[in-house]
Coordinates of all heavy atoms in Angstrom, one line a residue:
V26 N -0.2 37.8 26.8 CA -0.2 36.7 27.7 C -0.4 35.4 26.9 O -1.2 35.4 26.0 CB -1.3 36.8 28.8 CG1 -1.3 35.6 29.7 CG2 -1.2 38.0 29.6
I27 N 0.5 34.5 27.2 CA 0.4 33.2 26.5 C -0.1 32.1 27.5 O 0.2 32.2 28.7 CB 1.8 32.8 26.0 CG1 2.3 33.9 25.0 CG2 1.8 31.5 25.3 CD1 3.7 33.7 24.5
G28 N -0.8 31.1 27.0 CA -1.3 30.1 27.9 C -0.2 29.5 28.7 O 0.9 29.2 28.2
G29 N -0.4 29.3 30.0 CA 0.6 28.8 30.9 C 1.5 29.8 31.5 O 2.4 29.5 32.3
T30 N 1.2 31.1 31.3 CA 2.0 32.2 31.9 C 1.6 32.2 33.4 O 0.5 32.1 33.8 CB 1.6 33.5 31.3 OG1 1.9 33.4 29.9 CG2 2.4 34.7 31.9
I31 N 2.6 32.4 34.2 CA 2.4 32.5 35.7 C 2.7 33.9 36.2 O 3.7 34.5 35.9 CB 3.4 31.5 36.4 CG1 3.1 30.1 36.0 CG2 3.2 31.7 37.9 CD1 4.1 29.1 36.5
N32 N 1.7 34.5 36.9 CA 1.9 35.8 37.5 C 2.4 35.6 38.9 O 1.8 35.0 39.7 CB 0.5 36.5 37.5 CG 0.7 37.9 38.1 OD1 1.7 38.4 38.2 ND2 -0.5 38.5 38.4
L33 N 3.6 36.1 39.1 CA 4.3 35.9 40.4 C 3.9 37.0 41.4 O 3.8 36.7 42.6 CB 5.8 35.8 40.3 CG 6.3 34.6 39.4 CD1 7.8 34.7 39.3 CD2 5.9 33.3 40.1
N34 N 3.7 38.2 41.0 CA 3.4 39.3 41.9 C 2.3 40.2 41.3 O 2.4 40.5 40.1 CB 4.6 40.1 42.1 CG 5.7 39.4 42.9 OD1 5.4 38.5 43.7 ND2 7.0 39.7 42.6
G35 N 1.4 40.7 42.1 CA 0.5 41.7 41.7 C -0.6 41.1 40.8 O -0.9 40.0 40.6
S36 N -1.3 42.1 40.1 CA -2.4 41.7 39.2 C -2.0 42.0 37.8 O -1.0 42.7 37.5 CB -3.6 42.6 39.6 OG -3.3 43.9 39.4
V37 N -2.8 41.4 36.9 CA -2.5 41.5 35.4 C -3.7 42.0 34.7 O -4.8 41.6 35.0 CB -2.1 40.1 34.8 CG1 -1.9 40.2 33.3 CG2 -0.9 39.6 35.5
E38 N -3.5 43.0 33.9 CA -4.6 43.5 33.1 C -4.4 42.9 31.7 O -3.4 43.1 31.1 CB -4.6 45.0 33.0 CG -5.8 45.6 32.3 CD -5.8 47.1 32.4 OE1 -5.5 47.7 33.5 OE2 -6.2 47.7 31.4
I39 N -5.5 42.3 31.2 CA -5.4 41.6 29.9 C -6.4 42.2 28.9 O -7.6 42.4 29.3 CB -5.6 40.1 30.0 CG1 -4.6 39.5 31.0 CG2 -5.6 39.4 28.7 CD1 -4.9 38.0 31.3
E40 N -6.0 42.6 27.7 CA -6.9 43.1 26.7 C -7.1 41.9 25.7 O -6.1 41.5 25.1 CB -6.3 44.3 26.0 CG -7.2 44.8 25.0 CD -6.6 46.0 24.3 OE1 -5.7 46.6 24.8 OE2 -7.1 46.3 23.1
V41 N -8.3 41.5 25.5 CA -8.6 40.5 24.6 C -8.8 41.1 23.2 O -9.6 42.0 23.0 CB -9.9 39.7 25.0 CG1 -10.3 38.7 24.0 CG2 -9.7 39.1 26.4
T42 N -8.0 40.6 22.2 CA -8.0 41.2 20.9 C -8.8 40.3 19.9 O -9.4 40.8 19.0 CB -6.6 41.4 20.3 OG1 -5.9 40.2 20.3 CG2 -5.8 42.4 21.2
T43 N -8.9 39.1 20.2 CA -9.7 38.2 19.3 C -10.3 37.1 20.1 O -9.8 36.7 21.2 CB -8.8 37.4 18.2 OG1 -7.8 36.7 18.9 CG2 -8.1 38.4 17.3
I44 N -11.5 36.7 19.7 CA -12.2 35.6 20.4 C -12.9 34.7 19.4 O -13.0 35.0 18.2 CB -13.4 36.2 21.3 CG1 -14.4 37.0 20.5 CG2 -12.8 37.0 22.4 CD1 -15.6 37.4 21.3
G45 N -13.2 33.5 19.8 CA -13.9 32.5 19.0 C -13.2 32.1 17.8 O -12.1 31.6 17.8
E46 N -13.8 32.4 16.6 CA -13.3 31.9 15.3 C -12.0 32.6 14.9 O -11.2 32.1 14.0 CB -14.3 32.1 14.2 CG -15.5 31.3 14.4 CD -15.3 29.8 14.2 OE1 -14.5 29.5 13.3 OE2 -15.8 29.0 14.9
D47 N -11.6 33.7 15.5 CA -10.4 34.5 15.1 C -9.2 34.1 15.9 O -8.1 34.6 15.6 CB -10.7 36.0 15.2 CG -11.8 36.4 14.4 OD1 -12.0 35.8 13.3 OD2 -12.5 37.4 14.7
T48 N -9.3 33.2 16.8 CA -8.1 32.9 17.7 C -7.2 32.0 16.9 O -7.5 31.4 15.9 CB -8.6 32.2 19.0 OG1 -9.2 30.9 18.6 CG2 -9.5 33.0 19.8
T49 N -6.0 32.0 17.4 CA -4.9 31.1 16.8 C -5.3 29.7 16.9 O -5.1 28.9 15.9 CB -3.6 31.4 17.5 OG1 -3.3 32.7 17.4 CG2 -2.5 30.6 16.8
L50 N -5.9 29.2 18.0 CA -6.3 27.9 18.1 C -7.4 27.5 17.1 O -7.3 26.4 16.5 CB -6.8 27.6 19.5 CG -7.3 26.2 19.8 CD1 -6.2 25.2 19.6 CD2 -7.8 26.1 21.2
A51 N -8.3 28.4 16.9 CA -9.4 28.1 15.9 C -8.8 28.0 14.5 O -9.2 27.2 13.7 CB -10.4 29.2 15.9
Q52 N -7.8 28.9 14.2 CA -7.1 28.8 12.9 C -6.4 27.5 12.7 O -6.4 26.9 11.6 CB -6.2 30.0 12.7 CG -6.9 31.3 12.6 CD -5.9 32.5 12.6 OE1 -4.7 32.3 12.8 NE2 -6.5 33.7 12.4
I53 N -5.7 27.1 13.8 CA -5.0 25.8 13.7 C -6.0 24.6 13.5 O -5.7 23.7 12.6 CB -4.2 25.5 15.0 CG1 -3.0 26.5 15.0 CG2 -3.7 24.1 15.1 CD1 -2.3 26.5 16.4
I54 N -7.1 24.6 14.2 CA -8.1 23.6 14.0 C -8.6 23.6 12.6 O -8.8 22.5 11.9 CB -9.3 23.8 15.0 CG1 -8.8 23.5 16.4 CG2 -10.5 22.9 14.6 CD1 -9.8 23.9 17.5
R55 N -8.9 24.8 12.0 CA -9.4 24.9 10.6 C -8.3 24.3 9.6 O -8.7 23.6 8.7 CB -9.7 26.3 10.2 CG -11.1 26.7 10.6 CD -11.5 28.0 9.8 NE -10.6 29.1 10.0 CZ -10.6 30.0 11.0 NH1 -11.5 29.9 11.9 NH2 -9.7 31.0 11.1
L56 N -7.1 24.6 9.8 CA -6.0 24.1 9.0 C -5.9 22.6 9.1 O -5.7 21.9 8.0 CB -4.7 24.7 9.3 CG -4.5 26.2 8.9 CD1 -3.2 26.8 9.5 CD2 -4.5 26.3 7.4
V57 N -6.0 22.0 10.3 CA -5.9 20.6 10.4 C -7.1 19.9 9.8 O -6.9 18.9 9.1 CB -5.8 20.2 11.9 CG1 -6.0 18.7 12.1 CG2 -4.5 20.7 12.5
E58 N -8.3 20.4 9.9 CA -9.5 19.9 9.3 C -9.4 19.9 7.8 O -9.7 19.0 7.1 CB -10.7 20.6 9.8 CG -11.1 20.3 11.2 CD -12.3 21.1 11.7 OE1 -12.6 22.1 11.0 OE2 -12.9 20.8 12.7
S59 N -8.8 21.0 7.3 CA -8.7 21.2 5.8 C -7.6 20.1 5.3 O -7.8 19.5 4.2 CB -8.2 22.6 5.5 OG -7.9 22.7 4.1
A60 N -6.6 20.0 6.0 CA -5.5 19.0 5.6 C -6.0 17.6 5.6 O -5.7 16.8 4.8 CB -4.3 19.2 6.5
Q61 N -6.9 17.3 6.6 CA -7.4 15.9 6.7 C -8.4 15.6 5.7 O -8.6 14.5 5.3 CB -8.0 15.7 8.1 CG -7.0 15.6 9.2 CD -7.6 15.4 10.6 OE1 -8.8 15.8 10.8 NE2 -6.9 14.8 11.5
S62 N -9.1 16.6 5.2 CA -10.2 16.4 4.2 C -9.7 16.4 2.8 O -10.4 16.0 1.9 CB -11.3 17.4 4.4 OG -10.8 18.7 4.1
S63 N -8.5 16.8 2.5 CA -8.0 16.8 1.2 C -6.8 15.8 1.0 O -6.1 15.5 1.9 CB -7.5 18.2 0.8 OG -6.5 18.6 1.6
K64 N -6.6 15.4 -0.3 CA -5.5 14.5 -0.6 C -4.3 15.3 -1.1 O -4.5 16.2 -1.9 CB -5.9 13.5 -1.7 CG -6.7 12.3 -1.2 CD -6.9 11.4 -2.3 CE -7.6 10.1 -1.9 NZ -7.8 9.2 -3.0
A65 N -3.2 14.8 -0.8 CA -1.9 15.4 -1.3 C -1.8 14.9 -2.8 O -2.3 13.8 -3.1 CB -0.7 14.9 -0.5
P66 N -1.2 15.7 -3.7 CA -1.1 15.3 -5.1 C -0.4 13.9 -5.2 O -0.7 13.1 -6.1 CB -0.3 16.4 -5.7 CG -0.6 17.6 -4.8 CD -0.8 17.0 -3.4
I67 N 0.6 13.7 -4.4 CA 1.4 12.4 -4.5 C 0.5 11.2 -4.1 O 0.6 10.1 -4.6 CB 2.7 12.5 -3.7 CG1 3.6 11.3 -4.0 CG2 2.4 12.5 -2.2 CD1 4.2 11.3 -5.4
Q68 N -0.4 11.5 -3.2 CA -1.3 10.4 -2.7 C -2.3 10.1 -3.9 O -2.6 8.9 -4.1 CB -2.1 10.8 -1.5 CG -2.9 9.7 -0.9 CD -3.6 10.1 0.4 OE1 -3.5 11.3 0.8 NE2 -4.4 9.2 0.9
D69 N -2.7 11.1 -4.6 CA -3.6 10.8 -5.7 C -2.9 10.1 -6.8 O -3.4 9.1 -7.4 CB -4.1 12.2 -6.3 CG -5.3 12.0 -7.3 OD1 -6.1 11.1 -7.0 OD2 -5.3 12.7 -8.3
F70 N -1.6 10.4 -7.1 CA -0.8 9.7 -8.0 C -0.6 8.2 -7.6 O -0.7 7.3 -8.4 CB 0.5 10.4 -8.2 CG 1.5 9.6 -9.0 CD1 1.4 9.5 -10.4 CD2 2.6 8.9 -8.4 CE1 2.2 8.8 -11.2 CE2 3.5 8.2 -9.2 CZ 3.3 8.1 -10.6
A71 N -0.3 8.0 -6.3 CA -0.1 6.6 -5.8 C -1.4 5.8 -6.0 O -1.4 4.6 -6.3 CB 0.3 6.7 -4.4
D72 N -2.6 6.4 -5.7 CA -3.8 5.7 -5.9 C -4.1 5.3 -7.3 O -4.5 4.2 -7.6 CB -5.0 6.6 -5.4 CG -5.0 6.7 -3.9 OD1 -4.3 5.9 -3.2 OD2 -5.7 7.6 -3.4
R73 N -3.8 6.2 -8.3 CA -4.0 5.9 -9.7 C -3.0 4.8 -10.1 O -3.4 3.9 -10.9 CB -3.7 7.2 -10.5 CG -4.9 8.1 -10.5 CD -4.8 9.2 -11.6 NE -3.5 9.6 -11.9 CZ -2.9 10.7 -11.4 NH1 -3.5 11.4 -10.5 NH2 -1.7 11.1 -11.8
L74 N -1.8 4.9 -9.6 CA -0.8 3.9 -10.0 C -1.2 2.5 -9.4 O -1.1 1.5 -10.2 CB 0.6 4.2 -9.4 CG 1.7 3.3 -9.8 CD1 2.0 3.3 -11.3 CD2 3.0 3.7 -9.0
A75 N -1.6 2.4 -8.2 CA -2.0 1.2 -7.6 C -3.3 0.6 -8.3 O -3.4 -0.6 -8.4 CB -2.3 1.4 -6.1
S76 N -4.2 1.5 -8.7 CA -5.4 1.0 -9.4 C -5.1 0.3 -10.7 O -5.8 -0.6 -11.2 CB -6.4 2.1 -9.6 OG -5.9 3.0 -10.6
R77 N -3.9 0.6 -11.3 CA -3.5 -0.1 -12.5 C -2.5 -1.2 -12.3 O -2.5 -2.2 -13.0 CB -2.9 0.9 -13.5 CG -3.9 1.9 -14.1 CD -3.3 2.9 -14.9 NE -4.3 3.8 -15.5 CZ -4.8 4.9 -15.0 NH1 -4.4 5.2 -13.8 NH2 -5.7 5.6 -15.6
F78 N -1.7 -1.0 -11.3 CA -0.6 -2.0 -11.0 C -1.1 -3.3 -10.4 O -0.7 -4.4 -10.8 CB 0.4 -1.3 -10.0 CG 1.6 -2.2 -9.7 CD1 2.6 -2.4 -10.6 CD2 1.7 -2.7 -8.4 CE1 3.7 -3.2 -10.3 CE2 2.8 -3.5 -8.1 CZ 3.8 -3.8 -9.0
V79 N -2.0 -3.2 -9.4 CA -2.5 -4.4 -8.8 C -3.2 -5.4 -9.7 O -2.9 -6.5 -9.7 CB -3.4 -4.0 -7.6 CG1 -4.1 -5.2 -7.0 CG2 -2.6 -3.3 -6.5
P80 N -4.1 -4.9 -10.6 CA -4.7 -5.8 -11.5 C -3.7 -6.4 -12.5 O -3.8 -7.6 -12.8 CB -5.7 -5.0 -12.3 CG -6.0 -3.8 -11.4 CD -4.8 -3.6 -10.6
F81 N -2.7 -5.6 -12.9 CA -1.7 -6.2 -13.8 C -0.9 -7.3 -13.1 O -0.7 -8.4 -13.7 CB -0.7 -5.1 -14.2 CG 0.5 -5.6 -14.9 CD1 0.4 -5.9 -16.3 CD2 1.7 -5.7 -14.3 CE1 1.5 -6.4 -17.0 CE2 2.8 -6.2 -15.0 CZ 2.7 -6.5 -16.3
V82 N -0.6 -7.1 -11.8 CA 0.2 -8.2 -11.1 C -0.7 -9.4 -10.9 O -0.2 -10.5 -11.1 CB 0.7 -7.6 -9.8 CG1 1.2 -8.7 -8.9 CG2 1.7 -6.5 -10.0
L83 N -1.9 -9.2 -10.6 CA -2.8 -10.4 -10.5 C -3.0 -11.2 -11.8 O -3.0 -12.4 -11.8 CB -4.2 -10.0 -9.9 CG -4.1 -9.5 -8.5 CD1 -5.5 -9.0 -8.1 CD2 -3.7 -10.5 -7.5
I84 N -3.2 -10.4 -12.9 CA -3.3 -11.1 -14.2 C -2.0 -11.8 -14.6 O -2.1 -12.9 -15.0 CB -3.7 -10.0 -15.2 CG1 -5.2 -9.6 -15.0 CG2 -3.6 -10.6 -16.6 CD1 -5.6 -8.4 -15.8
F85 N -0.9 -11.1 -14.3 CA 0.4 -11.7 -14.7 C 0.6 -13.0 -13.8 O 1.1 -14.0 -14.4 CB 1.5 -10.7 -14.5 CG 2.8 -11.2 -15.0 CD1 3.1 -11.3 -16.3 CD2 3.8 -11.6 -14.1 CE1 4.3 -11.7 -16.8 CE2 5.1 -12.0 -14.6 CZ 5.3 -12.1 -15.9
A86 N 0.3 -13.0 -12.6 CA 0.5 -14.1 -11.7 C -0.4 -15.3 -12.1 O 0.0 -16.4 -12.2 CB 0.2 -13.8 -10.2
T87 N -1.6 -15.0 -12.5 CA -2.6 -16.0 -13.0 C -2.1 -16.6 -14.3 O -2.1 -17.8 -14.5 CB -4.0 -15.5 -13.1 OG1 -4.4 -14.9 -11.9 CG2 -5.0 -16.5 -13.6
L88 N -1.6 -15.8 -15.2 CA -1.1 -16.2 -16.5 C 0.1 -17.1 -16.3 O 0.3 -18.2 -16.9 CB -0.8 -15.0 -17.3 CG -0.2 -15.3 -18.7 CD1 -1.3 -16.0 -19.6 CD2 0.2 -14.1 -19.4
T89 N 1.0 -16.7 -15.3 CA 2.2 -17.5 -15.1 C 1.8 -18.9 -14.6 O 2.3 -19.9 -15.0 CB 3.1 -16.8 -14.0 OG1 3.5 -15.6 -14.5 CG2 4.3 -17.6 -13.7
F90 N 0.8 -19.0 -13.6 CA 0.4 -20.3 -13.1 C -0.2 -21.1 -14.3 O 0.1 -22.3 -14.4 CB -0.7 -20.0 -12.0 CG -1.3 -21.3 -11.6 CD1 -0.7 -22.1 -10.7 CD2 -2.6 -21.7 -12.1 CE1 -1.2 -23.3 -10.3 CE2 -3.1 -22.9 -11.6 CZ -2.5 -23.7 -10.7
V91 N -1.0 -20.5 -15.1 CA -1.7 -21.3 -16.2 C -0.6 -21.8 -17.2 O -0.7 -23.0 -17.6 CB -2.7 -20.4 -16.9 CG1 -3.2 -21.0 -18.2 CG2 -3.9 -20.1 -16.0
V92 N 0.3 -21.0 -17.5 CA 1.4 -21.4 -18.4 C 2.2 -22.6 -17.9 O 2.4 -23.6 -18.5 CB 2.3 -20.3 -18.9 CG1 3.5 -20.8 -19.6 CG2 1.5 -19.3 -19.7
W93 N 2.6 -22.4 -16.6 CA 3.4 -23.5 -16.0 C 2.6 -24.8 -15.8 O 3.1 -25.9 -16.0 CB 4.0 -23.1 -14.6 CG 5.3 -22.4 -14.8 CD1 5.5 -21.1 -14.6 CD2 6.5 -23.0 -15.1 NE1 6.9 -20.8 -14.8 CE2 7.5 -22.0 -15.1 CE3 6.9 -24.3 -15.3 CZ2 8.8 -22.2 -15.4 CZ3 8.2 -24.5 -15.6 CH2 9.2 -23.5 -15.7
A94 N 1.3 -24.6 -15.4 CA 0.5 -25.8 -15.2 C 0.3 -26.5 -16.6 O 0.3 -27.8 -16.6 CB -0.9 -25.4 -14.6
A95 N 0.1 -25.7 -17.6 CA -0.1 -26.4 -18.9 C 1.2 -27.1 -19.4 O 1.1 -28.2 -19.9 CB -0.5 -25.3 -20.0
L96 N 2.3 -26.4 -19.2 CA 3.6 -27.0 -19.6 C 3.9 -28.3 -18.8 O 4.3 -29.3 -19.4 CB 4.7 -26.0 -19.5 CG 4.8 -25.0 -20.5 CD1 5.9 -24.0 -20.1 CD2 5.1 -25.5 -21.9
L97 N 3.7 -28.3 -17.6 CA 4.0 -29.4 -16.7 C 3.0 -30.6 -16.9 O 3.4 -31.7 -16.7 CB 4.0 -29.0 -15.2 CG 5.2 -28.1 -14.9 CD1 5.0 -27.5 -13.5 CD2 6.5 -28.9 -14.9
N98 N 1.8 -30.3 -17.3 CA 0.8 -31.4 -17.4 C 0.6 -31.8 -18.9 O -0.2 -32.7 -19.1 CB -0.5 -31.0 -16.8 CG -0.3 -30.9 -15.3 OD1 -0.1 -31.9 -14.6 ND2 -0.4 -29.7 -14.7
S99 N 1.2 -31.1 -19.8 CA 1.0 -31.4 -21.2 C 1.9 -32.5 -21.8 O 1.7 -33.1 -22.8 CB 1.1 -30.2 -22.1 OG 2.4 -29.7 -22.1
G100 N 3.0 -32.7 -21.1 CA 4.0 -33.6 -21.6 C 5.1 -33.0 -22.4 O 6.0 -33.6 -22.9
A101 N 4.9 -31.7 -22.7 CA 5.9 -30.9 -23.5 C 7.3 -30.9 -22.9 O 8.2 -30.8 -23.7 CB 5.3 -29.5 -23.8
I102 N 7.4 -30.9 -21.6 CA 8.7 -30.8 -21.0 C 9.0 -32.0 -20.1 O 9.7 -31.8 -19.1 CB 8.9 -29.4 -20.3 CG1 7.8 -29.3 -19.2 CG2 8.9 -28.3 -21.2 CD1 8.0 -28.1 -18.3
D103 N 8.5 -33.1 -20.4 CA 8.7 -34.3 -19.6 C 10.1 -34.7 -19.4 O 10.5 -35.1 -18.3 CB 7.9 -35.5 -20.2 CG 6.4 -35.5 -19.8 OD1 6.1 -34.7 -18.9 OD2 5.7 -36.2 -20.5
D104 N 10.9 -34.5 -20.4 CA 12.4 -34.8 -20.4 C 13.1 -33.9 -19.3 O 13.9 -34.4 -18.5 CB 13.1 -34.6 -21.7 CG 12.5 -35.4 -22.8 OD1 11.8 -36.4 -22.5 OD2 12.7 -35.1 -24.0
V105 N 12.7 -32.7 -19.2 CA 13.3 -31.8 -18.3 C 12.8 -31.9 -16.9 O 13.5 -31.9 -15.9 CB 13.2 -30.3 -18.8 CG1 13.8 -29.3 -17.8 CG2 13.8 -30.1 -20.2
K106 N 11.5 -32.0 -16.8 CA 10.9 -32.0 -15.5 C 11.2 -33.3 -14.7 O 11.2 -33.3 -13.4 CB 9.4 -31.8 -15.5 CG 8.5 -33.0 -15.9 CD 7.1 -32.7 -15.9 CE 6.2 -33.9 -16.3 NZ 4.8 -33.6 -16.2
N107 N 11.6 -34.4 -15.3 CA 11.9 -35.6 -14.6 C 13.3 -35.4 -13.9 O 13.6 -36.2 -13.0 CB 11.9 -36.8 -15.5 CG 10.5 -37.2 -15.9 OD1 9.6 -37.0 -15.1 ND2 10.4 -37.7 -17.1
T108 N 14.1 -34.5 -14.3 CA 15.4 -34.2 -13.7 C 15.3 -33.2 -12.6 O 16.3 -33.0 -11.9 CB 16.4 -33.8 -14.7 OG1 16.0 -32.5 -15.3 CG2 16.6 -34.8 -15.9
W109 N 14.2 -32.5 -12.4 CA 14.1 -31.5 -11.4 C 13.9 -32.1 -10.0 O 13.2 -33.2 -9.9 CB 12.9 -30.6 -11.7 CG 13.1 -29.7 -12.8 CD1 14.2 -29.5 -13.5 CD2 12.1 -28.9 -13.5 NE1 14.0 -28.6 -14.5 CE2 12.7 -28.2 -14.5 CE3 10.7 -28.8 -13.3 CZ2 12.0 -27.4 -15.4 CZ3 10.0 -27.9 -14.1 CH2 10.7 -27.2 -15.2
P110 N 14.5 -31.6 -9.0 CA 14.4 -32.1 -7.6 C 13.0 -32.0 -7.0 O 12.8 -32.6 -6.0 CB 15.5 -31.3 -6.8 CG 15.6 -30.1 -7.6 CD 15.4 -30.4 -9.0
Y111 N 12.1 -31.3 -7.6 CA 10.8 -31.2 -7.0 C 10.1 -32.5 -6.9 O 9.3 -32.8 -6.0 CB 9.9 -30.1 -7.6 CG 9.2 -30.6 -8.9 CD1 8.0 -31.1 -8.8 CD2 9.8 -30.5 -10.2 CE1 7.3 -31.5 -10.0 CE2 9.2 -30.8 -11.3 CZ 7.9 -31.4 -11.2 OH 7.3 -31.8 -12.3
K112 N 10.4 -33.4 -7.8 CA 9.7 -34.8 -7.7 C 10.1 -35.5 -6.5 O 9.3 -36.2 -5.8 CB 10.1 -35.6 -9.0 CG 9.5 -35.2 -10.2 CD 8.1 -35.7 -10.3 CE 7.5 -35.5 -11.7 NZ 6.1 -35.8 -11.8
Q113 N 11.4 -35.4 -6.1 CA 11.9 -36.1 -4.9 C 11.4 -35.4 -3.6 O 11.3 -36.0 -2.5 CB 13.4 -36.1 -4.8 CG 14.1 -37.0 -5.8 CD 14.3 -36.3 -7.2 OE1 14.2 -35.1 -7.3 NE2 14.4 -37.1 -8.2
Q114 N 11.0 -34.2 -3.7 CA 10.4 -33.4 -2.5 C 8.9 -33.7 -2.4 O 8.3 -33.1 -1.4 CB 10.7 -31.9 -2.7 CG 12.2 -31.6 -2.6 CD 12.5 -30.1 -2.8 OE1 11.6 -29.4 -3.1 NE2 13.7 -29.8 -2.7
G115 N 8.3 -34.4 -3.3 CA 6.9 -34.8 -3.1 C 6.0 -33.8 -3.8 O 4.7 -33.9 -3.7
F116 N 6.5 -32.9 -4.6 CA 5.6 -32.0 -5.4 C 5.0 -32.7 -6.6 O 5.7 -33.4 -7.3 CB 6.3 -30.7 -5.8 CG 6.7 -29.8 -4.7 CD1 8.0 -29.6 -4.4 CD2 5.7 -29.1 -4.0 CE1 8.4 -28.8 -3.4 CE2 6.1 -28.3 -3.0 CZ 7.4 -28.1 -2.7
S117 N 3.7 -32.4 -6.9 CA 3.1 -33.0 -8.1 C 3.2 -31.9 -9.2 O 3.7 -30.8 -9.0 CB 1.6 -33.3 -7.8 OG 0.9 -32.2 -7.7
D118 N 2.7 -32.3 -10.4 CA 2.8 -31.3 -11.5 C 1.8 -30.2 -11.3 O 1.9 -29.2 -12.0 CB 2.4 -32.1 -12.8 CG 3.6 -33.0 -13.2 OD1 4.7 -32.8 -12.7 OD2 3.3 -33.9 -14.1
W119 N 0.9 -30.3 -10.3 CA -0.1 -29.2 -10.1 C 0.4 -28.3 -8.9 O -0.1 -27.2 -8.8 CB -1.5 -29.8 -9.7 CG -2.2 -30.3 -10.9 CD1 -2.3 -31.6 -11.3 CD2 -2.7 -29.5 -12.0 NE1 -3.0 -31.7 -12.4 CE2 -3.2 -30.4 -12.9 CE3 -2.9 -28.2 -12.2 CZ2 -3.9 -30.1 -14.1 CZ3 -3.5 -27.8 -13.4 CH2 -4.0 -28.7 -14.3
T120 N 1.3 -28.8 -8.1 CA 1.7 -27.9 -7.0 C 3.0 -27.1 -7.4 O 3.2 -26.0 -6.8 CB 2.1 -28.8 -5.7 OG1 3.0 -29.7 -6.1 CG2 0.9 -29.4 -5.1
L121 N 3.7 -27.6 -8.3 CA 4.9 -26.8 -8.7 C 4.6 -25.4 -9.3 O 5.3 -24.5 -9.0 CB 5.8 -27.6 -9.7 CG 7.1 -26.9 -10.2 CD1 8.0 -26.8 -8.9 CD2 7.7 -27.6 -11.3
P122 N 3.6 -25.3 -10.1 CA 3.3 -23.9 -10.7 C 3.0 -22.9 -9.5 O 3.2 -21.7 -9.7 CB 2.1 -24.1 -11.6 CG 2.1 -25.5 -11.9 CD 2.7 -26.3 -10.8
L123 N 2.5 -23.4 -8.4 CA 2.2 -22.4 -7.3 C 3.5 -21.8 -6.7 O 3.5 -20.8 -6.1 CB 1.5 -23.2 -6.2 CG 0.1 -23.6 -6.5 CD1 -0.5 -24.5 -5.4 CD2 -0.8 -22.4 -6.8
L124 N 4.7 -22.5 -7.0 CA 5.9 -21.9 -6.5 C 6.4 -20.8 -7.3 O 7.3 -20.0 -6.9 CB 7.0 -23.0 -6.5 CG 6.7 -24.2 -5.6 CD1 7.8 -25.3 -5.7 CD2 6.6 -23.8 -4.1
F125 N 5.9 -20.6 -8.6 CA 6.3 -19.6 -9.4 C 5.4 -18.4 -9.2 O 5.5 -17.4 -9.6 CB 6.3 -20.0 -10.9 CG 7.4 -21.0 -11.2 CD1 7.2 -22.4 -11.2 CD2 8.7 -20.6 -11.4 CE1 8.2 -23.3 -11.4 CE2 9.7 -21.5 -11.6 CZ 9.5 -22.8 -11.6

């Protein structure tokens, strides 16, 4: 007999073969709990990759800002920066590095 079975006529004699921890439902619950408590190997790899990738990106972004800010405010590229349209758009030498 499976859950949801309908007896249309007469009586049904049922022999219980497993109860409690041995039932199919209990086994399914154990499997789901086990799956939820453990990490997949690819998830562990992704966590290791992100732990190295995110700091690298933040350091690279900060370095890019510092280099652009130094170049734009040092006078080293004054000839080039005066021809850029960002001056007409109202950007200063400190706001342009934020665009990179």
Side-chain angles (χ1 to χ4, degrees):
V26 176
I27 299 175
T30 301
I31 299 174
N32 180 15
L33 298 176
N34 294 327
S36 61
V37 176
E38 186 175 320
I39 301 172
E40 179 183 341
V41 177
T42 57
T43 58
I44 60 170
E46 294 293 320
D47 299 329
T48 63
T49 303
L50 180 59
Q52 291 173 356
I53 292 171
I54 290 171
R55 273 197 306 274
L56 286 172
V57 169
E58 287 173 346
S59 172
Q61 287 177 337
S62 65
S63 63
K64 278 188 178 181
I67 192 70
Q68 185 178 2
D69 191 40
F70 172 74
D72 289 344
R73 284 195 323 268
L74 182 66
S76 70
R77 290 176 177 86
F78 181 72
V79 171
F81 172 77
V82 168
L83 292 175
I84 289 169
F85 189 72
T87 303
L88 182 64
T89 301
F90 174 79
V91 168
V92 168
W93 272 107
L96 284 173
L97 290 168
N98 291 294
S99 69
I102 58 172
D103 280 343
D104 301 343
V105 177
K106 78 177 181 180
N107 290 330
T108 64
W109 289 349
Y111 81 91
K112 286 282 190 186
Q113 289 84 22
Q114 293 175 357
F116 291 113
S117 72
D118 289 342
W119 286 104
T120 56
L121 183 64
L123 292 173
L124 299 176
F125 291 97

